[in-house]
Amino acid sequence: MTSKIAQADVTPVRQRTQYSCMATSMAMCLNALDHKVTEDEVNAVMGATPLKGAAWEQALACAQHYGCRATLTTP
C-alpha cells in the first residue's frame, strides 16, 4: 500500500476585515500556487461585502477566474 502525502507551501496571512476571510483564504491558496495576489485583488474578483461576506459559489468562481480548478465538498 502506498501512502500519499500532500504538502503546500502556504504562508499564513491575517485577514484585514471581518468579512474578508474567504478572500484571504483564497489569496493564500493562490499564492501557494504561484499566483502573486493580494487580499484586495482577490476580493475585487470575489466581491465579498460587509455584513454579507462571500458565498462558496463566489469562491469557486474566483478560483476559476485565476485558472484553477476547485471543488466544493459538503458532508
Side-chain angles (χ1 to χ4, degrees):
M1 173 182 239
T2 62
S3 63
K4 295 182 182 181
I5 299 174
Q7 187 174 12
D9 186 19
V10 177
T11 303
V13 175
R14 182 178 293 271
Q15 69 189 61
R16 295 181 324 122
T17 66
Q18 289 182 329
Y19 62 89
S20 63
C21 55
M22 290 270 258
T24 305
S25 297
M26 182 63 69
M28 289 189 297
C29 293
L30 290 169
N31 283 321
L33 295 171
D34 291 329
H35 294 276
K36 301 305 176 203
V37 295
T38 65
E39 174 186 340
D40 292 331
E41 292 170 340
V42 172
N43 195 35
V45 173
M46 195 176 293
T49 58
L51 300 176
K52 189 174 178 185
W56 290 111
E57 292 82 1
Q58 290 169 292
L60 294 172
C62 181
Q64 290 176 345
H65 173 82
Y66 286 101
C68 299
R69 209 171 48 177
T71 303
L72 175 62
T73 305
T74 59

